[in-house]
Amino acid sequence: MHLWKQLVLAALPCLPPALGQSVLDLSGDGWTVSSKALNISVPGRVPSQAHLDLFAAGAIDDPYYGLNDFNLRWIGNNNWTYTSKPIQGLSNKSKSSWLVFNGLDTFTTIEFCGQFIGTTDNQFRQYAFDISNVLSKCKGSPTVSLNFGSAIKIANEIAAQPDAPEWPAGVQGTFEFPNRWFIRKEQSDFGWDWGPAFSPAGPWQNAYLVQFEREEGAYVLNTDLDIYRKNQINHIAPDQSQPWVVNASIDYLGSLPSKPSMAIEIKELESGKVLKSGSLDNVVVTGQTITGNTMVDADAANLWWPTGLGKQNLYNVTVTIQDSHQDLASVTKRTGFRTIFLNRSNITEEQLAQGIAPGANWHFEVNGREFYAKGSNLIPPDAFWPRVTKAKMQRLFDAVVAGNQNMLRVWASGAYLPDFMYDLADERGVLLWSEFQFSDALYPTDQPFLDNVAAEVVYNVRRVNHHPSLALWAGGNEIESLELPEAEEKAPEQYADYVGDYEHLFITLILPLVYENSRSISYMPSSTNNGFLEVDLSAKIPMVERYKNGTDAKGYYYGDTDYYNYDSSVAFDFDGYPVGRFANEFGYHSMPSLQTWQQAVDDEDLHFNSSTIMLRNHHYPANGPDTHNYKNTSMGMGEMTLAVQRYYPTPNEHDSIANFSAWCHATQHFQADMYKSEIQFYRRGSGMPERQLGSLYWQLEDIWQAPTWAGIEYDGRWKVLHYVARDIFQPVIVSPFWNSSTGDLDIYVTSDLWDTARGTVNLTWVDLSGKPISGNAGTPKSKHFSVGALNTTNIYSTNMSKLSLANSQDAVLLIDLIAQGHLPNAESEALTTFTHRNQFTPVYPKDLELKDPKLSLLHDAKTSAFTVEAKSAVSLYTWIDYPAGVVGYFEDNSFTLVPGEKKTVKFVVQKDETGGKWVDGVTVRSMWDQTTRS
Ligand SMILES: *[C@@H]1O[C@H](CO)[C@@H](O)[C@H](O)[C@H]1NC(C)=O
Ligand SMILES: *[C@@H]1O[C@H](CO)[C@@H](O)[C@H](O)[C@H]1NC(C)=O
Ligand SMILES: *[C@@H]1O[C@H](CO)[C@@H](O)[C@H](O)[C@H]1NC(C)=O
Ligand SMILES: *[C@@H]1O[C@H](CO)[C@@H](O)[C@H](O)[C@H]1NC(C)=O
Ligand SMILES: *[C@@H]1O[C@H](CO)[C@@H](O)[C@H](O)[C@H]1NC(C)=O
Ligand SMILES: *[C@@H]1O[C@H](CO)[C@@H](O)[C@H](O)[C@H]1NC(C)=O
């Protein structure tokens, strides 16, 4: 698949020009990519990366195919030079001229008209270079040349310098290439346990040539729009009765007259109504930044809400810089009015009285309301960002919303998301917990490094601050919870220094930069933490982290949790799951489906332990380019095999590809069941003393085709997990909690609605042929319940020994809920009906005496719906599958059917390359088909 060819960006010759300036977009074709050392030269484009241009030119195979992750490492080990074609159409009466780069990956030496212009060393910064002098002396049409160094080599060179910091062995999370922590480049470009290691290089974002024809003029480099409640301060709950402050700040190139003014227009998009217009107050110019503000009445704006909690009301804000008689520059940002706050305050008396355990809060509040955060962790959707299309990300965000997810954690160590992804999240109501790009390592703190980070932080905080989907800034990932404890264990005598360095970078440096550029967003130094003891903005270390203070005290809870356990024997023991206020990471890996493997692997390699499949599995990390070392991958592959063997029937099909496919599917069953078990447990915690208010599993989607923790495969295909998560993320759910060692069975209804829901749960025991079990095995047939706002209620408790089950291997408890309640911020007062089906078997699937349900599948061409029916036995894990060539999802999947029961679902087509023929390739199966039959 040559996905990137879809990325024919409309190459605008000129942006809407502001007064007296011309802007030449250097993006598009007409570039050359070359390596002198390798004697290669191919056509290139901007934005791009060398791998993509080499692939497009036919100079290399698809980087994602087979073992090219290993075979193409020579690309990352070499320099690549991007040279533009001669630039036409430059103004000859310009007063000054600039090259503006929105993103260069990463180490660049820039020449213009053959003259040295400057260097760059941070993938995440925007750079502008004054080329006026060089241009004035340039004969003919100039070219731009960007010589990209090998980040792999440069990282090693920095590490080899005599004054480079060192850390104890085993502390720094190392994947394929070492020393990523010395450079400001996407950290997963050097490998991660779910991805390849290409270390791409190139102009990965747009580039412009800006010229000013007059002394005065402004080109907008970046805009910071901050909307907050008056007197709001990042770490304190905002007062919803206060008016809004709209603070607009523009970073510009050029120069302004001595007394510039600013004007604003705030327009509601749905109604077209102007909420506010006029000039901004308190206009100040500092350096190359102009800032002003205005107020909006407390209740004047329609609020923006996350999906499921209300509407996503959006506004266009246009800010104009003016002198006494004309507009000098203007910028429009789409935004929303909301407060989003990470509450880490101490538990109050009032909360204690509600049964909430002491300690501290650790949950989000939107517009002053607590809510349950449901979602997952977003990793880079591709190893090569320039080929991430808006269309593909639309499909992904639609899948997020269809999956009942309202929050994604944008994990530290990919890249800061492009604005178009925040835009998609704004429209769909998906909150984006955003992180600075630091992960699983300790980082240097020398001044040049800190200065480089500071510029990166300021640029990105300002760039994305207007997006209502922005939910949080976190310094990095697993540094406080994993790296510091690791360092303490390995080098206790230096531990205090490591903590000092950590606080220097993530608190003393970054916190004030966030607060100075945003009043609206909470900050924490690292994901997974126990909150803070104190914030004092005038102190040298403005946030005093709690670390482990008090966390050993029984019955006290403080923070969020991050939990992995690859011993599958305890996968369903909820007693071992962490109890905390919020779960921001948990999971287990599984195989992608056959159709996805076929995009990347030759047919002869399609078996579970082929060298290609094994080497594409990076859990545990391959640690270098040795394609003969199977030790680490064997462990990870073994974990999947063992998990299947422990709990599920093991497939044994004659046809080797069918067998491979069934095994891949089996690993997905385990994964989905385990996540479901954890999510149910965490959600139930909303009504337990821990008052648990979030479940974000690891991970939303894949970067390529490989075994990973993802719920959505590389091209958009849903694994079993994404369907099961969608089911268990519904507002009102019913869940069995079975302790397999004691035999205790408890059934809970959990709701994240904002007021009470009432209804009934039917409990129906049947055998596997679907016949009712006599006396319903001693279980009441139905239970009425009422469940409070963001709460849980136990509806039934028993012990398996008390039930009259003749054969526990031939029994299934169907658990059917119907409830009525109000959706948060619903437009009408009417009650909404919620249904949920769950099921419970007293033994694991491998020990069930499964019978052939004789599934039938009908397609109705008129309604384009599929109807599945179990004709003769209970169908567990009923799975409708679709062929390659189409992307989309069924409205429901992986469900239980009893004989005679029919299920009709539509397939939501997101992309179809088969001209509708995919319909003929739809199949249905169930757990029965996974069993070994002779
Ligand atoms: C490779 O690129 C780096 C960064 O631009 C530069 O410092 C170095 O001189 C380049 N080396 C060659 C051989 O071009
Ligand atoms: C809002 O702003 C965007 C981007 O500048 C523009 O394309 C769109 O037309 C504007 N919408 C309205 C209703 O003004
Ligand atoms: C919160 O509780 C901790 C003890 O866990 C205490 O040290 C801290 O001062 C309290 N913070 C506030 C703001 O009361
Ligand atoms: C959850 O519901 C129980 C039972 O009604 C109630 O006692 C408890 O206070 C509720 N919890 C919260 C946090 O509202
Ligand atoms: C308690 O918090 C202080 C201040 O952050 C920190 O220095 C100390 O190490 C913490 N103690 C523990 C046991 O985490
Ligand atoms: C529960 O059982 C009753 C009686 O058979 C039936 O009317 C009702 O529809 C069932 N409810 C659900 C949610 O299945």
Side-chain angles (χ1 to χ4, degrees):
M1 288 227 310
H2 298 231
L3 254 182
W4 88 281
K5 284 194 177 148
Q6 298 162 359
L7 187 86
V8 184
L9 287 175
L12 300 170
C14 264
L15 296 175
L19 192 75
Q21 66 178 254
S22 87
V23 179
L24 210 61
D25 190 341
L26 301 176
S27 315
D29 293 323
W31 290 71
T32 309
V33 187
S34 58
S35 160
K36 225 193 237 149
L38 300 169
N39 196 20
I40 297 177
S41 178
V42 298
R45 48 182 297 116
V46 172
S48 192
Q49 287 163 323
H51 288 80
L52 296 176
D53 289 319
L54 290 166
F55 179 36
I60 58 168
D61 286 344
D62 181 351
Y64 272 17
Y65 209 80
L67 295 180
N68 286 341
D69 170 28
F70 295 96
N71 300 337
L72 295 177
R73 291 194 176 171
W74 55 272
I75 301 176
N77 280 318
N78 275 282
N79 273 34
W80 294 95
T81 302
Y82 276 76
T83 311
S84 74
K85 63 185 172 202
I87 300 169
Q88 314 284 343
L90 289 179
S91 157
N92 48 18
K93 42 184 203 301
S94 73
K95 297 269 191 270
S96 69
S97 302
W98 299 79
L99 280 175
V100 176
F101 299 98
N102 283 352
L104 296 170
D105 178 12
T106 289
F107 296 96
T108 324
T109 305
I110 300 161
E111 288 181 6
F112 183 74
C113 195
Q115 303 295 306
F116 173 80
I117 296 294
T119 62
T120 71
D121 61 357
N122 189 328
Q123 176 181 4
F124 310 120
R125 285 172 61 181
Q126 179 191 46
Y127 290 94
F129 297 96
D130 186 345
I131 53 167
S132 314
N133 278 339
V134 174
L135 182 60
S136 67
K137 294 184 203 118
C138 187
K139 303 221 159 54
S141 298
T143 59
V144 184
S145 139
L146 311 167
N147 184 348
F148 290 89
S150 160
I152 299 165
K153 289 186 177 161
I154 293 170
N156 291 340
E157 282 161 21
I158 298 172
Q161 281 166 9
D163 57 347
E166 287 177 45
W167 294 275
V171 170
Q172 303 294 79
T174 305
F175 299 90
E176 314 293 302
F177 308 121
N179 298 319
R180 60 183 169 83
W181 39 87
F182 288 111
I183 63 170
R184 298 310 301 145
K185 172 169 174 53
E186 176 160 312
Q187 301 281 280
S188 63
D189 282 351
F190 277 23
W192 216 268
D193 50 6
W194 35 253
F198 289 110
S199 187
W204 72 302
Q205 307 224 9
N206 287 0
Y208 303 95
L209 201 159
V210 179
Q211 295 190 288
F212 296 100
E213 281 157 12
R214 297 157 23 124
E215 293 300 340
E216 278 162 9
Y219 169 81
V220 177
L221 285 171
N222 197 17
T223 306
D224 182 7
L225 193 62
D226 197 22
I227 300 181
Y228 53 92
R229 295 287 186 181
K230 190 176 162 209
N231 298 328
Q232 188 175 334
I233 174 105
N234 310 54
H235 56 275
I236 296 168
D239 176 351
Q240 303 297 327
S241 70
Q242 292 292 321
W244 296 100
V245 178
V246 178
N247 193 76
S249 182
I250 294 175
D251 303 321
Y252 61 92
L253 270 183
S255 54
L256 296 179
S258 60
K259 285 244 176 297
S261 58
M262 293 174 89
I264 195 164
E265 185 194 69
I266 306 176
K267 185 158 88 180
E268 188 177 34
L269 287 186
E270 195 177 85
S271 66
K273 271 210 287 257
V274 173
L275 177 68
K276 176 110 195 185
S277 72
S279 51
L280 288 183
D281 304 323
N282 308 311
V283 173
V284 289
V285 179
T286 25
Q288 291 293 115
T289 299
I290 181 168
T291 304
N293 56 42
T294 190
M295 308 280 275
V296 171
D297 292 346
D299 299 321
N302 288 315
L303 299 177
W304 182 95
W305 294 95
T307 178
L309 303 179
K311 278 179 68 174
Q312 289 76 55
N313 293 301
L314 294 168
Y315 290 81
N316 263 7
V317 174
T318 301
V319 181
T320 309
I321 309 174
Q322 302 163 322
D323 71 8
S324 44
H325 33 264
Q326 62 208 341
D327 293 353
L328 297 171
S330 170
V331 62
T332 298
K333 296 284 169 187
R334 196 183 58 183
T335 188
F337 289 78
R338 60 90 183 89
T339 65
I340 180 77
F341 172 62
L342 175 62
N343 187 340
R344 285 161 287 177
S345 63
N346 289 347
I347 294 294
T348 60
E349 290 297 324
E350 197 186 331
Q351 287 183 300
L352 290 172
Q354 286 176 297
I356 297 176
N361 288 287
W362 204 108
H363 67 258
F364 290 90
E365 292 171 11
V366 65
N367 298 323
R369 301 289 309 251
E370 283 182 341
F371 66 98
Y372 200 91
K374 302 183 282 198
S376 53
N377 285 262
L378 181 112
I379 62 155
D382 204 293
F384 307 105
W385 277 99
R387 69 176 176 182
V388 174
T389 61
K390 191 170 173 196
K392 184 171 177 180
M393 291 304 96
Q394 256 164 354
R395 295 195 289 272
L396 184 67
F397 276 88
D398 285 342
V400 169
V401 172
N404 292 319
Q405 304 195 9
N406 58 28
M407 183 182 282
L408 300 176
R409 172 171 168 247
V410 184
W411 168 81
S413 284
Y416 301 94
L417 295 189
D419 278 283
F420 79 81
M421 286 177 72
Y422 280 97
D423 281 335
L424 294 172
D426 294 344
E427 288 160 13
R428 287 160 181 73
V430 179
L431 289 164
L432 298 177
W433 157 341
S434 303
E435 304 193 338
F436 298 109
Q437 310 306 327
F438 301 89
S439 189
D440 294 312
L442 300 179
Y443 284 83
T445 52
D446 57 276
Q447 201 56 46
F449 187 85
L450 295 179
D451 292 346
N452 199 0
V453 168
E456 159 191 340
V457 166
V458 169
Y459 172 62
N460 286 289
V461 168
R462 292 173 70 79
R463 178 176 66 85
V464 303
N465 198 60
H466 63 279
H467 293 285
S469 58
L470 178 64
L472 175 71
W473 278 112
N477 165 60
E478 293 175 332
I479 300 176
E480 200 173 306
S481 62
L482 204 74
E483 297 309 313
L484 287 179
E486 197 76 51
E488 183 175 21
E489 191 194 311
K490 304 232 156 84
E493 66 291 348
Q494 285 153 44
Y495 178 60
D497 294 339
Y498 295 132
V499 173
D501 285 348
Y502 166 73
E503 294 184 343
H504 190 169
L505 175 58
F506 293 106
I507 303 179
T508 305
L509 178 77
I510 297 182
L511 182 143
L513 297 176
V514 174
Y515 278 47
E516 282 157 19
N517 290 288
S518 175
R519 297 277 293 264
S520 49
I521 299 297
S522 308
Y523 175 73
M524 65 183 184
S526 172
S527 280
T528 315
N529 63 58
N530 288 313
F532 55 74
L533 291 171
E534 202 190 341
V535 178
D536 173 358
L537 297 177
S538 60
K540 181 162 172 282
I541 303 171
M543 184 176 271
V544 181
E545 286 289 88
R546 174 173 278 107
Y547 297 113
K548 293 190 224 101
N549 286 289
T551 57
D552 291 340
K554 213 170 150 20
Y556 281 68
Y557 304 104
Y558 292 96
D560 57 337
T561 61
D562 171 324
Y563 172 72
Y564 296 94
N565 188 340
Y566 296 106
D567 174 1
S568 55
S569 70
V570 297
F572 301 107
D573 292 358
F574 46 85
D575 285 347
Y577 298 159
V579 180
R581 303 288 188 193
F582 195 107
N584 68 284
E585 278 196 38
F586 53 94
Y588 204 101
H589 50 306
S590 73
M591 296 281 265
S593 325
L594 176 68
Q595 295 92 325
T596 292
W597 275 122
Q598 283 171 328
Q599 297 164 8
V601 172
D602 289 330
D603 272 358
E604 71 252 30
D605 293 325
L606 292 174
H607 49 100
F608 212 82
N609 291 328
S610 77
S611 55
T612 305
I613 301 277
M614 296 273 282
L615 290 168
R616 289 178 75 99
N617 173 47
H618 290 181
H619 168 70
Y620 298 79
N623 251 321
D626 180 358
T627 48
H628 300 282
N629 185 344
Y630 294 90
K631 182 166 167 277
N632 280 353
T633 181
S634 300
M635 285 160 36
M637 297 297 287
E639 287 165 358
M640 286 188 284
T641 314
L642 213 60
V644 169
Q645 289 168 339
R646 265 201 176 101
Y647 301 107
Y648 302 87
T650 48
N652 189 14
E653 306 256 350
H654 285 306
D655 178 79
S656 76
I657 290 187
N659 194 48
F660 175 70
S661 176
W663 264 97
C664 290
H665 192 55
T667 67
Q668 294 190 17
H669 280 145
F670 169 75
Q671 180 194 35
D673 278 347
M674 178 177 165
Y675 286 49
K676 176 176 173 179
S677 171
E678 281 193 57
I679 292 169
Q680 293 179 141
F681 174 79
Y682 297 134
R683 284 195 63 182
R684 185 181 69 167
S686 63
M688 297 290 182
E690 66 267 27
R691 184 60 164 171
Q692 209 277 7
L693 290 176
S695 297
L696 309 181
Y697 64 79
W698 190 268
Q699 69 197 60
L700 172 67
E701 71 343 334
D702 260 328
I703 193 170
W704 73 329
Q705 308 91 342
T708 73
W709 296 252
I712 299 181
E713 297 170 12
Y714 176 61
D715 76 348
R717 178 177 293 269
W718 293 18
K719 282 183 179 175
V720 178
L721 168 59
H722 201 76
Y723 289 106
V724 168
R726 165 194 172 117
D727 174 71
I728 213 66
F729 277 151
Q730 293 183 86
V732 188
I733 57 165
V734 59
S735 316
F737 290 85
W738 174 46
N739 183 325
S740 65
S741 21
T742 63
D744 287 338
L745 174 69
D746 300 296
I747 298 181
Y748 281 82
V749 171
T750 302
S751 163
D752 69 347
L753 299 177
W754 287 352
D755 61 13
T756 302
R758 292 184 178 80
T760 311
V761 173
N762 285 357
L763 300 164
T764 315
W765 280 102
V766 295
D767 66 19
L768 288 167
S769 63
K771 286 202 276 303
I773 287 178
S774 95
N776 205 29
T779 302
K781 284 204 156 151
S782 82
K783 287 289 219 176
H784 295 293
F785 68 86
S786 117
V787 60
L790 283 169
N791 211 325
T792 194
T793 186
N794 177 292
I795 59 151
Y796 177 62
S797 285
T798 189
N799 186 282
M800 294 316 292
S801 63
K802 294 190 185 142
L803 295 181
S804 50
L805 285 172
N807 177 2
S808 58
Q809 293 179 295
D810 186 19
V812 51
L813 175 63
L814 303 168
I815 311 171
D816 286 293
L817 171 144
I818 185 158
Q820 296 214 301
H822 287 111
L823 277 171
N825 285 313
E827 287 186 356
S828 99
E829 281 296 300
L831 287 164
T832 300
T833 299
F834 300 90
T835 60
H836 185 231
R837 165 173 284 183
N838 215 323
Q839 57 281 313
F840 163 72
T841 58
V843 296
Y844 289 110
K846 79 170 165 118
D847 295 320
L848 287 173
E849 292 173 4
L850 293 168
K851 296 180 177 61
D852 185 355
K854 300 217 165 66
L855 289 171
S856 75
L857 175 72
L858 284 175
H859 178 241
D860 181 336
K862 251 204 339 260
T863 61
S864 72
F866 295 87
T867 299
V868 182
E869 183 178 358
K871 299 267 190 201
S872 62
V874 177
S875 174
L876 294 170
Y877 300 81
T878 316
W879 180 251
I880 325 177
D881 203 9
Y882 63 92
V886 62
V887 179
Y889 54 89
F890 292 102
E891 291 170 323
D892 196 0
N893 217 344
S894 198
F895 45 83
T896 297
L897 288 177
V898 290
E901 202 176 13
K902 287 183 187 171
K903 180 112 185 169
T904 298
V905 292
K906 282 194 182 156
F907 182 78
V908 178
V909 179
Q910 295 185 300
K911 181 181 164 202
D912 180 13
E913 290 169 346
T914 72
K917 289 210 170 56
W918 61 270
V919 168
D920 305 327
V922 173
T923 59
V924 68
R925 57 192 289 132
S926 73
M927 190 57 77
W928 161 257
D929 300 282
Q930 297 284 105
T931 57
T932 301
R933 283 152 289 132
S934 43

